[in-house]
Amino acid sequence: MEEERAGLPGPPDPVRDPWRAAMRLALAEAGRAARGGDVPVGAVVLAPDGRTVLAAGHNEREARQLGQQTERPDGRPLGDRGEPALGASRPGRR
């Protein structure tokens, strides 16, 4: 853990230190999203040991849609002319 703290001021932090590597990875993933023109959101899934990375990823919504908007910001699909589709709603929402 000392190598993870290299260059960090102050005494060891038992609450934050174990998560620093995972957070750096999530921030790197967010940077990848931003460079792709997306909202900078990154995520990391850890195994129960808290150290093994099971998955990492970032927001790819704009990259997948290739600039074609198919839903409103609230997640409801758009109709043919860009208005909300009749009766469109997200599961669990009205």
Side-chain angles (χ1 to χ4, degrees), residues 3 8 46 51 63:
E3 64 276 0
L8 295 176
L46 300 175
R51 292 192 174 273

Side-chain angles (χ1 to χ4, degrees), residues 10-77:
D13 184 337
V15 174
R16 291 182 182 95
D17 286 350
W19 310 111
R20 288 192 195 279
M23 285 302 297
R24 278 195 296 271
L25 180 55
L27 289 170
E29 287 289 336
R32 290 179 66 199
R35 286 188 299 279
D38 249 309
V39 177
V41 176
V44 175
V45 178
L46 300 175
D49 66 10
R51 292 192 174 273
T52 305
V53 175
L54 299 177
H58 58 276
N59 191 8
E60 296 178 349
R61 179 177 169 169
E62 296 301 321
R64 279 197 315 258
Q65 291 182 2
L66 299 174
Q68 180 181 15
Q69 186 176 5
T70 59
E71 63 182 25
R72 296 168 26 115
D74 63 5
R76 292 185 292 166

Side-chain angles (χ1 to χ4, degrees), residues 69-90 94:
Q69 186 176 5
T70 59
E71 63 182 25
R72 296 168 26 115
D74 63 5
R76 292 185 292 166
L78 291 174
D80 292 338
R81 290 176 285 173
E83 69 272 1
L86 185 61
S89 66
R90 296 182 81 179
R94 293 180 188 193

